[in-house]
Amino acid sequence: MKTLMTPHSTASSRSLAARRPIAITLLGLALSSATVTLLSGCAPLIVGGAALGGALVATDRRSTGVQLDDQALEVRAGNRIREVAADRARVSVNAYNRTLLLTGEVHKDADKAAVEAAVAKLEDVKVVSEITVDWPTSSDDRSRDLLLASKVKSAFVETKGLEANAFSIVAHRKVIYLMGRVTESEARDAAAVASTVQGVQKVVRVLEVITPEQLNAIRSR
């Protein structure tokens, strides 16, 4: 297995395979309660398979135990961030199969380095940091990001042949981050679909790429 992190331009593949018509109500969009957001106290921007509860547990490509481990990692990472940066950071932590995605803002470069180092000390994790040195986003910005993530989720659901629940979708500053355990073709198709959603500026793949054989084994367990 390998974890792939690559940007995907929104200008590519806008004519990807046809989507099947479906009436969808966005009441099922879930927020991971274990995800930690610092400084602002706002809701973390994560939608999809990483959320624990209901049918998503059954369709998630991680075992229930791994899902619980990931939630615990989010809390532990958040505690470490508080210890080193206190109120100088507004950072969200999203975990998928022990890959930790950090998004948000800090006051200065030293805080960024301290946060990244503290989280990296957690046992057996891969840290992908998208932290920026900047003012925190506003509540309106975060609401728009959450809406954007929901639109991407809807696009996945409507796309024939794409398993929407195989992906966790994180939105920050109009950038969409895709997490999950997927094949290369699934990763490529998902990035292309996400790039067509109005308002998305960039798509970044933070994905664990597996083989079709590995996927078949996951489905058969």
Side-chain angles (χ1 to χ4, degrees):
M1 300 181 186
K2 60 180 179 178
T3 300
L4 176 67
M5 179 180 173
T6 56
H8 186 97
S9 171
T10 59
S12 64
S13 300
R14 293 189 179 272
S15 60
L16 191 76
R19 298 172 185 170
R20 67 179 184 272
I22 182 171
I24 168 173
T25 303
L26 295 179
L27 295 178
L29 296 176
L31 296 177
S32 172
S33 61
T35 306
V36 178
T37 302
L38 304 179
L39 187 63
S40 66
C42 66
L45 304 177
I46 179 169
V47 180
L52 209 64
L56 291 185
V57 173
T59 57
D60 198 300
R61 292 180 179 176
R62 300 166 296 171
S63 68
T64 303
V66 172
Q67 292 178 61
L68 293 171
D69 286 345
D70 282 342
Q71 286 195 331
L73 279 173
E74 290 170 349
V75 173
R76 291 167 60 197
N79 290 339
R80 294 200 174 197
I81 293 170
R82 288 190 186 93
E83 291 172 0
V84 299
D87 61 352
R88 299 187 305 279
R90 194 208 71 86
V91 176
S92 293
V93 183
N94 294 288
Y96 195 98
N97 209 31
R98 306 195 75 83
T99 293
L100 301 181
L101 172 64
L102 309 180
T103 54
E105 299 80 29
V106 294
H107 287 189
K108 53 188 179 181
D109 288 327
D111 293 327
K112 180 175 182 291
V115 166
E116 292 168 348
V119 175
K121 290 179 181 178
L122 291 170
E123 184 178 357
D124 191 26
V125 298
K126 176 181 176 62
V127 178
V128 177
S129 177
E130 293 289 293
I131 298 171
T132 58
V133 179
D134 204 342
W135 287 101
T137 54
S138 68
S139 58
D140 286 344
D141 288 334
R142 293 189 290 274
S143 295
R144 282 189 287 267
D145 277 337
L146 182 57
L147 178 60
L148 190 61
S150 74
K151 289 179 179 179
V152 173
K153 177 70 172 181
S154 296
F156 284 8
V157 170
E158 295 172 359
T159 301
K160 185 177 181 179
L162 191 61
E163 292 187 26
N165 286 343
F167 297 88
S168 290
I169 303 167
V170 180
H172 186 66
R173 291 180 178 265
K174 300 181 181 180
V175 177
I176 293 294
Y177 300 91
L178 300 178
M179 305 183 77
R181 303 182 70 196
V182 298
T183 65
E184 177 57 39
S185 62
E186 288 178 316
R188 183 174 57 249
D189 290 350
V193 170
S195 72
T196 68
V197 175
Q198 185 175 5
V200 173
Q201 291 187 349
K202 185 171 69 171
V203 179
V204 178
R205 302 193 292 179
V206 190
L207 295 165
E208 180 183 338
V209 177
I210 59 177
T211 66
E213 292 75 20
Q214 290 172 319
L215 177 55
N216 288 336
I218 291 171
R219 286 171 170 167
S220 63
R221 70 185 181 198

